[in-house]
Amino acid sequence: MREWWIHVALICVPLVAVYLHIPPPQPSPALQQWHSSGEEFTFRGWTVFYRDSYGALGSSDVIILLHGFPTSSYDWNKIWEPLTQRFNRVIALDFLGFGFSDKPRPHSYSIFEQASVVEALVAHLGLSHQRLNVLSHDYGDTVALELLYRSDQNRTGHLTFNSLCLSNGGIFPETHHPRLLQTLLKDSGFLSPLLMRLTNYMIFQKGIGDVFGPYTQPTDAEFWDMWTGLRHNDGNLVLDSVLQYINQRLKHRERWVGALTSTFVPLHMIYGPLDPVNPHPHFIRLYQQLVQRSTFTVLDQHISHYPQLEDPTGFLNAYFNFIHSF
């Protein structure tokens, strides 16, 4: 009888460890370096991670980078150094619930709150009256549109935009195709906690790999760093709440798309056309139709949802051409 319980324990302990994700993954040296090069500030009692690098001498231009779901500011690591050669300051943050920032739970995450986090960071850095170039991706695109709305409405504490460049964000609900796991997590109610617990590295790797092009897949180390950033502070356990941004995009479409179509801020879209989340040509055609003041760049046909990681050179060329055009 005693041996029977030993066998059960030997089977159950590893299964429980997998379910609880014990131990959490450890960051690579490159991700550790990114983290150690950053700083933190406090927003409403929560800790928010950010990086602030001084770059080009003789330039007063500042750029702030807004990352996508479900990753972090580390998404910008391949273009960070070239940006510091063009801008006086390059700033990026991990949104609340992402990367190295706090991930409170239970918590009602919202695009509105994330926009307030960005405004608080800008004030913390003494840049409230600085004209800012905003470069965003995916989830960050919608945060940028809320910031743009507040700016155009002259809301207290708003950012002052010098320019806005978007990339592969689901800004139009009618052309946005969330992945199956995203839909299940955001709409499954009491099943969501179980699904989040069961989302392991292999499931994550498959899901992320599906939104990269076949020739631009992350390396094993890059997949692991994305997973590590997600798992930090148990970020896998807040996915269902964070994913409510998809429903928020639909509910507030008029507000955010309206800000995009009515603004006079210089606009650009950098688009990877192999994106299954915002598929070609439907997405870019609608963008051209609705956002007629904007310019856009369609990258090579094999570039997908993460253009800044899949084609950093093409992405930078498109962005610098835009910045130098006004």
Side-chain angles (χ1 to χ4, degrees):
M1 180 66 70
R2 187 177 302 170
E3 291 181 359
W4 181 81
W5 280 107
I6 292 174
H7 288 303
V8 170
L10 289 173
I11 294 172
C12 290
V13 168
L15 290 177
V16 170
V18 169
Y19 180 73
L20 296 176
H21 298 279
I22 300 171
Q26 297 303 304
S28 68
L31 187 58
Q32 286 179 335
Q33 176 62 33
W34 182 268
H35 188 202
S36 64
S37 299
E39 302 175 66
E40 296 175 341
F41 84 106
T42 301
F43 173 82
R44 299 176 183 171
W46 296 303
T47 298
V48 175
F49 171 83
Y50 70 94
R51 284 199 62 182
D52 179 13
S53 294
Y54 284 83
L57 298 176
S59 171
S60 61
D61 293 345
V62 178
I63 183 171
I64 186 163
L65 311 173
L66 308 179
H67 68 80
F69 175 92
T71 42
S72 70
S73 60
Y74 194 57
D75 291 350
W76 305 108
N77 76 93
K78 291 185 178 182
I79 64 171
W80 191 266
E81 288 305 318
L83 289 174
T84 64
Q85 296 170 23
R86 167 59 180 81
F87 292 92
N88 178 252
R89 288 176 79 172
V90 181
I91 300 161
L93 76 158
D94 289 350
F95 290 122
L96 203 64
F98 294 78
F100 292 115
S101 291
D102 279 353
K103 297 166 180 176
R105 59 184 174 95
H107 184 75
S108 297
Y109 291 89
S110 74
I111 294 296
F112 300 102
E113 181 178 60
Q114 304 289 21
S116 296
V117 171
V118 177
E119 289 176 339
L121 174 59
V122 168
H124 172 74
L125 296 175
L127 296 171
S128 296
H129 302 293
Q130 171 77 38
R131 296 181 66 83
L132 299 172
N133 299 283
V134 178
L135 174 57
S136 61
H137 170 245
D138 183 62
Y139 180 90
D141 283 5
T142 305
V143 178
L145 294 184
E146 172 58 20
L147 291 166
L148 185 66
Y149 175 86
R150 296 181 186 186
S151 178
D152 286 349
Q153 297 294 315
N154 202 28
R155 297 286 183 89
T156 301
H158 70 80
L159 269 62
T160 302
F161 278 81
N162 190 56
S163 70
L164 171 59
C165 181
L166 310 167
S167 58
N168 284 80
I171 54 178
F172 306 124
E174 57 268 45
T175 61
H176 181 239
H177 297 266
R179 312 306 289 165
L180 176 60
L181 184 58
Q182 290 180 314
T183 301
L184 290 174
L185 286 174
K186 77 180 180 68
D187 293 331
S188 293
F190 69 93
L191 288 177
S192 293
L194 176 62
L195 291 173
M196 289 186 293
R197 287 285 187 186
L198 295 176
T199 301
N200 57 26
Y201 173 69
M202 289 182 291
I203 294 172
F204 174 82
Q205 183 182 36
K206 175 65 166 61
I208 290 291
D210 285 347
V211 299
F212 277 72
Y215 309 114
T216 56
Q217 287 286 299
T219 65
D220 289 343
E222 288 168 343
F223 273 125
W224 189 252
D225 281 340
M226 292 178 188
W227 174 243
T228 301
L230 173 67
R231 282 283 291 108
H232 184 78
N233 286 339
D234 291 327
N236 55 305
L237 303 183
V238 302
L239 288 174
D240 59 337
S241 184
V242 172
L243 276 164
Q244 296 310 308
Y245 77 88
I246 297 174
N247 297 332
Q248 293 162 21
R249 280 174 171 168
L250 181 60
K251 181 177 181 180
H252 301 289
R253 182 193 185 281
E254 182 177 347
R255 176 188 181 102
W256 293 330
V257 176
L260 185 62
T261 58
S262 63
T263 190
F264 286 94
V265 168
L267 294 172
H268 193 72
M269 167 67 72
I270 302 175
Y271 177 60
L274 200 58
D275 186 357
V277 182
N278 306 288
H280 187 272
H282 313 291
F283 171 81
I284 201 65
R285 284 179 179 170
L286 185 59
Y287 186 84
Q288 287 178 263
Q289 176 187 339
L290 295 182
V291 196
Q292 296 182 4
R293 293 191 182 96
S294 176
T295 54
F296 65 92
T297 301
V298 178
L299 298 175
D300 290 345
Q301 62 183 3
H302 64 276
I303 304 303
S304 187
H305 185 66
Y306 275 85
Q308 76 275 38
L309 291 174
E310 298 179 64
D311 183 13
T313 300
F315 189 94
L316 279 169
N317 287 340
Y319 185 65
F320 287 151
N321 286 338
F322 164 59
I323 285 294
H324 297 148
S325 69
F326 60 89

